[in-house]
Amino acid sequence: MISLNIEKAFGFISKESVFAYEAQVKSAQEALESGTGKGSDFLGWLHLPSSITKEHLDDLKATAQTLRENCEVVVVAGIGGSYLGARAVIEALSNSFTWLQEKKSAPVILYAGHNIGEDYLYELGEYLKGKKFGVINISKSGTTTETALAFRLLREQCERQRGKETARKVIVAITDAKKGAARVTADKEGYKSFIIPDNVGGRFSVLTPVGLLPIAVAGFDIDKLVAGAVEMEKACGADVPFVQNPAALYAAARNELYKQGKKIEILVNFNPKLHYVSEWWKQLYGESEGKEHKGIFPASVDFTTDLHSMGQWIQEGERSIYETVISVEKPNHSLVVPSDSENLDGLNFLAGKHVDEVNKMAELGTQLAHVDGGVPNMRIVIPALDESCIGNLLYFFERACGISGYILGVNPFNQPGVEAYKKNMFALLDKPGYEEESKAIRARLNE
Ligand code: PA5
C-alpha cells in the first residue's frame, strides 16, 4: 500500500500547526460523508470504488475484449477528466516501447479530442489509414467541441475504412445516460455505451467507465486497480484517526504550507512513466481548488530530466514552492550498470549497481538539496508501479482533494471558470445562439 511521509516539511511548518487541522479535517470528512458541503451533488466518487460490482467490471471487460479482438489501434477521444485518468494509468503501467514493437499483445492506445491541432488530427488520420482501428468516445456533456470535432473525423474514417457494420462494433460511447450529442449518436447508431454517473465530475471519473474501459483495452487488470482504490477508500475514511489517515495529513499539510506562503505545489516523479499521473493530478487539484482567487497552483516536473532545466529555479528561485515527490520503491525490471575495461566515461564506480540505485541516490540527494534550499518536501511512497498501487494513489489524491478543498473553503466539485474561453470561442466562430456575443466580441477586437 502507498504511504505518505511529511517529515521533511516540518522544518518549514510545525507538527503542531499541521495537527491543528484535525478539527477542520473532521468537519470536511463529515461534510463529504453526509453530503452537506458545497457541491454535494458531485460526491459519487466518494464511495465509488467499494460500490463497483462484479457485473459492471465483467461488462467492461467483455467490451474491452471485443475492441482488443477487432482493433490494432483504439483511439480514446476525450479531454480533461474524460481522458487524463485513463492516460495516466495506461502510461504508468505500460512498457514504454511496446507501441513501437511489431507484435503487440494489446491494441495501441492513442488519444484525440484533447486539442484542436489540425496537424495532430491530420497526422492521426494518416497513421490510421489502412489500420483496423476503433474509437472510445468519452464526453459527459456530450457536447465538448474538441472531442466532438475529433470524433466526427474519426467516426467518418472508421466507417469509410471498416464499413458501417464493423464500425458499430468498434465504436463505444461513454457519456450521460440521457442528454448530449454523444448519447443521441450512440443510441441512433446502436453503439455499445456506458454511462458516466450524474454525480461524478470529470476529474473524479477515472474509476468509472471513463478510465476503466480504456485501461482494460490496454490490457491492465481493472479488478486489481479497483481493489487498490477500495483499500485506500478504507485507509482514508472518516473513521480513520487523523494521524493515521494519509489523505487527512496531506490535505492538512498542504493547507498549512499555503498559509505560510507556499503557493505552488510541484508534484515530482523520478520515473518517466508517471508523467501523466502528474497531468491528471494537476487537473484534479487545479480545477478543484483554483477559484475565488484562491488555491495552490499545481505544477509538475519529471526528474531527473527536469533537474537539468527547472532544477535551477527550484533550488534558488522565489521561495513560494514546495514539493510532493512520488517515489516508486521498486522497479519492475532489473538492469545493472556494466563494467568497462577502458572506463573512458569514468563510470566504473557505478559498475555492478542497479540503475535504480543511481536514481534513488539522485532522489535522495535532490530531496536534501531542495530542503537545504528552502523547499519543503513531502513524499508519497509507492511500493511498485502496478494496478493495485495506482488504484491506491488515485483514490488517495481524490479523497485528499475533497478534504483540502473544503478546508480552503471553496466548492471543490465545480469548475465555473472553464466556461469563459468557450463563450468567446463560440462567439468568434459564430455558433448559432451566440449572435449577441459575436457582435460584442468583434466590437472589442476592433477597439
Ligand atoms: O473535470 C471536468 O469536468 C472537465 O475537465 C471535463 O472532464 C472536460 O471538460 C470534458 O468534459 P466532457 O466530458 O463533458 O466532454
Side-chain angles (χ1 to χ4, degrees):
M1 191 158 86
I2 65 164
S3 59
L4 173 76
N5 182 333
I6 60 172
E7 289 296 317
K8 290 273 186 296
F10 287 145
F12 303 89
I13 48 173
S14 68
K15 224 177 219 177
E16 297 68 47
S17 67
V18 174
F19 286 16
Y21 280 85
E22 188 169 353
Q24 283 186 73
V25 166
K26 191 166 181 273
S27 59
Q29 289 272 49
E30 275 166 12
L32 288 171
E33 290 296 343
S34 59
T36 49
K38 292 180 184 171
S40 57
D41 287 351
F42 289 93
L43 290 173
W45 57 274
L46 192 68
H47 293 298
L48 178 67
S50 57
S51 66
I52 296 174
T53 61
K54 183 179 176 307
E55 291 66 38
H56 182 54
L57 290 171
D58 286 347
D59 190 11
L60 286 161
K61 283 187 255 179
T63 306
Q65 193 53 27
T66 304
L67 289 171
R68 285 166 66 83
E69 280 164 10
N70 291 283
C71 303
E72 300 163 78
V73 179
V74 170
V75 184
V76 175
I79 192 167
S82 288
Y83 115 97
L84 281 167
R87 190 164 194 176
V89 177
I90 291 169
E91 301 221 351
L93 298 176
S94 293
N95 179 311
S96 311
F97 302 98
T98 304
W99 65 283
L100 289 170
Q101 284 159 8
E102 236 160 71
K103 274 205 156 178
K104 298 176 187 76
S105 55
V108 172
I109 308 290
L110 296 177
Y111 303 89
H114 58 302
N115 61 44
I116 321 180
E118 181 154 347
D119 290 344
Y120 183 93
L121 289 167
Y122 176 87
E123 286 161 14
L124 175 65
E126 286 294 296
Y127 175 78
L128 294 173
K129 266 189 192 159
K131 295 202 167 58
K132 294 201 283 178
F133 79 92
V135 186
I136 306 178
N137 185 35
I138 311 178
S139 179
K140 188 172 183 200
S141 62
T143 53
T144 300
T145 310
E146 289 87 339
T147 307
L149 181 60
F151 183 65
R152 179 181 279 216
L153 291 162
L154 289 164
R155 174 187 165 195
E156 190 275 327
Q157 183 170 353
C158 188
E159 286 177 352
R160 186 163 29 87
Q161 266 177 226
R162 307 199 66 183
K164 262 206 153 221
E165 204 177 312
T166 305
R168 228 171 254 139
K169 198 151 81 179
V170 295
I171 296 177
V172 178
I174 304 178
T175 187
D176 187 82
K178 295 195 192 82
K179 56 180 193 305
R183 167 55 56 201
V184 174
T185 309
D187 289 349
K188 178 168 174 286
E189 296 297 326
Y191 301 148
K192 169 76 183 169
S193 69
F194 290 93
I195 292 167
I196 308 176
D198 263 352
N199 59 356
V200 181
R203 58 191 174 275
F204 287 86
S205 69
V206 57
L207 296 167
T208 72
V210 170
L212 294 180
L213 182 64
I215 293 165
V217 174
F220 300 110
D221 189 329
I222 54 174
D223 294 345
K224 286 191 182 144
L225 185 83
V226 170
V230 172
E231 191 176 30
M232 252 312 118
E233 187 185 323
K234 288 194 189 112
C236 298
D239 54 335
V240 179
F242 178 79
V243 283
Q244 287 156 26
N245 189 321
L249 284 170
Y250 177 59
R254 59 197 305 282
N255 272 281
E256 179 58 15
L257 287 161
Y258 180 59
K259 206 163 112 192
Q260 299 307 327
K262 306 297 181 192
K263 308 276 187 197
I264 301 165
E265 176 172 3
I266 306 178
L267 193 71
V268 177
N269 69 71
F270 280 80
N271 186 321
K273 290 177 194 256
L274 288 172
H275 177 83
Y276 271 93
V277 167
S278 298
E279 296 304 311
W280 171 82
W281 171 88
K282 283 194 283 195
Q283 189 208 357
L284 182 64
Y285 280 80
E287 267 190 357
S288 299
E289 295 192 320
K291 46 199 70 156
E292 298 175 30
H293 296 170
K294 295 197 276 195
I296 295 166
F297 182 82
S300 67
V301 288
D302 301 325
F303 286 168
T304 62
T305 311
D306 293 332
L307 283 172
H308 297 258
S309 58
M310 295 305 289
Q312 172 60 36
W313 199 104
I314 295 170
Q315 189 69 46
E316 294 183 349
E318 192 184 88
R319 302 298 72 184
S320 50
I321 56 172
Y322 66 95
E323 288 179 316
T324 301
V325 180
I326 302 183
S327 178
V328 182
E329 238 166 5
K330 256 189 155 186
N332 287 326
H333 303 287
S334 161
L335 185 64
V336 171
V337 181
S339 174
D340 183 306
S341 58
E342 288 194 279
N343 195 27
L344 293 177
D345 54 13
L347 283 186
N348 270 356
F349 73 102
L350 297 178
K353 287 192 198 303
H354 280 269
V355 171
D356 193 57
E357 207 178 324
V358 182
N359 201 29
K360 287 286 182 300
M361 291 311 113
E363 185 181 322
L364 191 58
T366 305
Q367 185 191 43
L368 295 175
H370 287 182
V371 168
D372 288 347
V375 182
N377 190 288
M378 298 195 272
R379 281 176 92 221
I380 297 160
V381 179
I382 306 187
L385 275 190
D386 60 24
E387 286 92 337
S388 163
C389 291
I390 296 293
N392 278 181
L393 190 68
L394 296 173
Y395 189 84
F396 159 74
F397 275 137
E398 288 184 354
R399 185 82 183 207
C401 186
I403 300 172
S404 185
Y406 278 168
I407 294 176
L408 185 67
V410 298
N411 175 354
F413 308 116
N414 66 1
Q415 53 287 325
V418 301
E419 296 308 314
Y421 96 91
K422 290 185 197 167
K423 205 175 102 210
N424 286 349
M425 176 177 78
F426 292 146
L428 289 164
L429 287 168
D430 295 312
K431 183 173 176 171
Y434 283 77
E435 292 74 12
E436 284 311 307
E437 287 87 345
S438 292
K439 260 190 249 157
I441 204 160
R442 287 196 204 292
R444 268 181 71 192
L445 292 176
N446 293 331
E447 267 167 16

